Amino acid sequence: MSSDSSSGTEQKIVEAAKKVFLEKGFDGARMQHIADEAGINKASLHYYYRSKERLFDKIFADAFMEFLPKIGRIMNSNIDFFDKIKAIVEHYINILSHNPHLPVFVLYELNRRPEKLLEMLKTTGVEPQQLKIIIDREVAAGRIFEIDFVNLIVNILSLCIFPFVGKPIIKGFIMQND
Amino acid sequence: MSSDSSSGTEQKIVEAAKKVFLEKGFDGARMQHIADEAGINKASLHYYYRSKERLFDKIFADAFMEFLPKIGRIMNSNIDFFDKIKAIVEHYINILSHNPHLPVFVLYELNRRPEKLLEMLKTTGVEPQQLKIIIDREVAAGRIFEIDFVNLIVNILSLCIFPFVGKPIIKGFIMQND
DNA sequence: GTCTATATGCAGATAGAC
DNA sequence: GTCTATCTGCATATAGAC
């Protein structure tokens, strides 16, 4: 029906692969499973992405971009400092609510191949130095307590992300929903 | 040198298996790798633990017990409330410093088989209800701000654990050590 | 209890018809 | 571009000598 280069099939593959890889990880995922999920043949996977490795790389890059990237853009915007933090927090709550497996997946796979981190950070365009400048300015102006900027970032990430990462444990602890 | 049922070999196997499983996860681990690490033959692994699955179960149970269990015991002790929190925090900092892979491993594998959580919690003897009672008492006495006890626990765990889980990312962010 | 050699099954990848 | 059939290698697991 069209000469469109990104056919519906490729879209289906990406969605299916994302689902399976995020649930099972690279080693646990099966090409057959991804094919079934996408409703196509296993051989077609290799037609579009020559290997499992290549398919995974695409999914992982996507996942990583969802996991980290917006921080830089929010921090560089002109809104109030506390609104920035609020925006970051809401950003994470939102994404992770729809994608509970995302953080464990990213962190786990990043352990497998730490060397990929640097290239990922470049792709996302995050500029850590600017965060430090912004936070130092707020501290100097007395608007927030003095705190090492690394601590602040780590704490924010901790409080946002871990509740989702640890959800199964927390649920087991409390024996109820949410 | 003895009729001791847990020979040196079994000890070597457990240590090697722990190392490999924590680094690679169940799917990524190779029995050959574990055997090499222990300095024994692959067949001996099956002699002691009949399958990869059984060996893994042992390692996972151990890891889980290191990850969660002491909280209950600390909370039930008679020391001051804030000292309890301090004890828990120090407990984690200590364990995770020596075992950085532990949290990702536990969380990741728990995703693979959520059904194992309940039996794990029973084994560790953690009693969530008691935490709530203790915290509610502190709130009523005005010694701490009113806070839902689930929030408090989750926050503490977040701030203790995530910095280790996210270490590779944080390192990449800051481009320096620790 | 520990080894070598081997059986078995499965997953990633390719060949080739349509 | 999509399928069926097949090749290939590898990982778990077992058999059996020592």
Side-chain angles (χ1 to χ4, degrees), chain A residues 87-107:
Chain A
I88 291 177
V89 171
E90 279 168 1
H91 166 71
Y92 273 108
I93 304 296
N94 188 34
I95 281 188
L96 300 186
S97 296
H98 295 85
N99 250 323
H101 292 289
L102 189 65
V104 202
F105 171 74
V106 171
L107 295 169

Side-chain angles (χ1 to χ4, degrees), chain B residues 7 23-24 31 46 60 72 75 77 89 91 94 99 114 125 134 151 163 166 174-175 177:
Chain B
S7 70
E23 268 177 28
K24 311 275 189 177
M31 294 296 265
H46 289 88
F60 183 71
M75 270 303 178
S77 65
V89 171
H91 166 71
N94 188 34
N99 249 323
I134 293 171
N151 281 343
I174 317 306
M175 322 286 187
N177 274 350

Side-chain angles (χ1 to χ4, degrees), chain A residues 117-130:
Chain A
L117 180 62
L118 266 184
E119 93 188 45
M120 286 292 160
L121 282 176
K122 279 179 196 157
T123 313
T124 58
V126 178
E127 288 293 343
Q129 293 78 6
Q130 295 185 326

